[in-house]
Amino acid sequence: MDSVELLPDAVWRQSFRRQLLRWFRRNARDLPWRQTKDPYAVWVSEIMLQQTQVLTAKSYFVRFLQRFPDIATLAASSEQEVLRYWEGLGYYRRGRSLHQAAQRMMAEFEGKFPRDPQAVQKLPGIGRYTAGAILSIAFDDRLPILETNSIRLLSRLLAYQGDTTRSVGQKLLWTFSEQLLPRRNAGSFNQALMEVGSCVCTPKSPACSNCPVRKLCRARSQKLQEVIPVVKQKTQYEDLHEAAVVIWRGQKVLLRRCTTGERWEGLWDFPRCEISAQKEHLLRKEIEKKVRKLTGFTIHVGDSLATIRHGVTRFRIKLECYEAGVLGSSRSRVSLQQKWIPVTTLEDYPLSVTGRKISRLITES
Ligand code: SF4
């Protein structure tokens, strides 16, 4: 069957809208970004939710809006401060894009959030899904959405067994999402899709018996809900062994700003490098050599501070943290990208999660 032939008729769609919206009126979670239709606040929440769980995003959202209540304030702030408020959320490109997009809105849209979906999609960090979500929620514009939760829900409703990441699957689901939209209340409808996808139609063991649209669901009637959507090949994880060094000079430590292409671009970090030596004395030599290349400082690696295990995207990282002293420098490397920072001011700098852990280790001792 041609995939487009899977799309249900108008009677089905009408019934679906009614049941979904009724369920949403009774079951919508009370989330801070649902108390407003300000497009700026909706935009911030959508960007935060792109790769962050709702529970985590809640507190960050409130704090971010308190400090940057509108487009003008965000645009006028420094990237460093924005990243400081983003710290811990990960995927820092999102924070930088928010900041850049706010500056574009000041320059090109008189500080207002644009209404034209094409213009919105040209802003940094905003694709078709995010533009549709913001404009439908803030203005009730009749624009479809498609993200992880709605992809799962919609493909189960259709019992679609193709790959949802391929263009055929994407085209089918975007068309379905568009056809489903009601004439009014597009914002509530889109949120309801995501809410059922996230709270009821969960990846594993979906709660079909409590699902408001169970009678319309083809995957359920064909007992396929556990195998749809068809899972892509699992992520291949890669193990990495790294070292981070707290280099002391009096009461100050050396921080460097991660440059373009580095994992934490725009954030500050303790000098960090990949390591391969197995024996402790060789490991220290390797770190000293790599840190000299990275920073220009000749160091002596001292005590071990901690070993931190963490994951970043597809990498599983074992991070060895050391303290070190400076023996000399090949050239002056203190610049805009590298500074000696009094430990008491570390809180002012945006750091990665592990960078912050290290900073707490040294400030608390
Ligand atoms: Fe998902 Fe089950 Fe509802 Fe179908 S019936 S949409 S599989 S929760």
Side-chain angles (χ1 to χ4, degrees):
M1 192 195 287
D2 187 334
S3 61
V4 178
E5 289 172 30
L6 290 171
L7 294 169
D9 62 17
V11 176
W12 187 103
R13 297 200 298 267
Q14 190 55 30
S15 171
F16 177 78
R17 289 177 197 122
R18 224 182 7 252
Q19 291 170 46
L20 187 78
L21 283 167
R22 190 192 309 138
W23 177 89
F24 190 60
R25 278 193 295 275
R26 292 176 187 159
N27 295 283
R29 286 172 292 179
D30 182 18
L31 300 171
W33 46 86
R34 289 196 175 146
Q35 287 159 17
T36 174
K37 288 209 160 198
D38 173 7
Y40 169 71
V42 176
W43 169 44
V44 171
S45 72
E46 283 300 328
I47 300 295
M48 283 188 175
L49 290 167
Q50 277 172 4
Q51 275 116 344
T52 304
Q53 301 287 326
V54 167
L55 263 183
T56 312
K58 272 164 80 173
S59 56
Y60 275 88
F61 173 81
V62 172
R63 227 164 51 98
F64 197 90
L65 265 280
Q66 276 167 355
R67 173 61 192 90
F68 312 106
D70 48 42
I71 294 169
T73 312
L74 180 60
S77 305
S78 68
E79 183 184 284
Q80 178 167 321
E81 193 179 10
V82 175
L83 290 178
R84 182 68 186 89
Y85 276 77
W86 204 266
E87 190 184 299
L89 273 177
Y91 297 93
Y92 294 91
R93 185 186 296 273
R94 297 179 296 168
R96 288 199 303 277
S97 294
L98 264 182
H99 184 233
Q100 288 159 8
Q103 291 179 330
R104 287 261 298 273
M105 285 183 221
M106 293 306 292
E108 295 171 26
F109 301 102
E110 297 173 338
K112 295 195 178 71
F113 199 93
R115 279 295 293 272
D116 172 17
Q118 300 308 323
V120 175
Q121 282 184 59
K122 287 193 183 133
L123 293 167
I126 302 187
R128 184 178 178 188
Y129 155 70
T130 309
I134 299 166
L135 296 176
S136 65
I137 294 169
F139 304 112
D140 261 333
D141 288 349
R142 216 171 155 267
L143 292 167
I145 52 128
L146 197 62
E147 42 66 77
T148 319
N149 293 312
S150 45
I151 286 173
R152 188 169 56 251
L153 173 66
L154 298 184
S155 51
R156 284 175 175 166
L157 286 166
L158 296 179
Y160 178 64
Q161 296 187 62
D163 185 342
T164 57
T165 63
R166 303 291 291 268
S167 66
V168 176
Q170 285 280 308
K171 198 166 160 222
L172 173 76
L173 297 179
W174 273 110
T175 307
F176 189 27
S177 180
E178 195 161 13
Q179 287 186 355
L180 285 175
L181 279 170
R183 271 200 207 95
R184 288 192 308 263
N185 289 330
S188 297
F189 180 83
N190 282 341
Q191 290 184 79
L193 274 185
M194 294 188 270
E195 192 90 338
V196 170
S198 144
C199 302
V200 183
C201 195
T202 47
K204 285 190 184 140
S205 312
C208 299
S209 47
N210 294 327
C211 176
V213 292
R214 60 188 176 278
K215 292 192 180 134
L216 298 167
C217 179
R218 292 183 192 152
R220 180 177 177 255
S221 66
Q222 296 170 29
K223 298 196 180 358
L224 289 172
Q225 60 270 51
E226 295 284 355
V227 294
I228 291 177
V230 174
V231 183
K232 290 184 297 173
Q233 225 186 357
K234 283 221 167 120
T235 311
Q236 298 286 319
Y237 287 100
E238 193 178 321
D239 291 319
L240 284 182
H241 197 190
E242 296 185 350
V245 191
V246 178
I247 306 172
W248 289 95
R249 197 169 74 178
Q251 291 302 305
K252 293 181 176 175
V253 291
L254 188 70
L255 283 193
R256 58 180 294 278
R257 192 162 189 258
C258 301
T259 53
T260 310
E262 290 191 69
R263 196 184 291 144
W264 290 298
E265 180 185 340
L267 266 63
W268 290 82
D269 197 16
F270 297 96
R272 194 182 289 241
C273 58
E274 211 177 316
I275 45 178
S276 56
Q278 301 294 326
K279 295 196 172 137
E280 185 69 19
H281 71 286
L282 292 178
L283 190 69
R284 285 164 189 263
K285 291 277 168 251
E286 183 184 2
I287 296 169
E288 287 166 0
K289 190 171 163 201
K290 288 187 170 167
V291 167
R292 186 163 59 244
K293 192 164 175 217
L294 186 69
T295 66
F297 287 100
T298 306
I299 61 165
H300 172 71
V301 174
D303 292 340
S304 165
L305 264 175
T307 300
I308 301 172
R309 289 174 196 276
H310 68 114
V312 181
T313 58
R314 66 186 177 85
F315 298 106
R316 286 186 299 209
I317 303 168
K318 182 181 174 192
L319 179 69
E320 313 280 4
C321 311
Y322 289 92
E323 293 188 282
V326 187
L327 300 177
S329 75
S330 55
R331 55 193 178 279
S332 172
R333 280 292 199 95
V334 173
S335 65
L336 281 177
Q337 308 298 343
Q338 191 161 280
K339 288 188 198 173
W340 290 101
I341 312 275
V343 279
T344 48
T345 64
L346 277 170
E347 281 295 322
D348 299 337
Y349 289 81
L351 305 176
S352 66
V353 171
T354 49
R356 184 60 64 203
K357 274 189 187 159
I358 298 169
S359 106
R360 299 246 152 91
L361 276 174
I362 57 175
T363 47
E364 281 161 15
S365 60

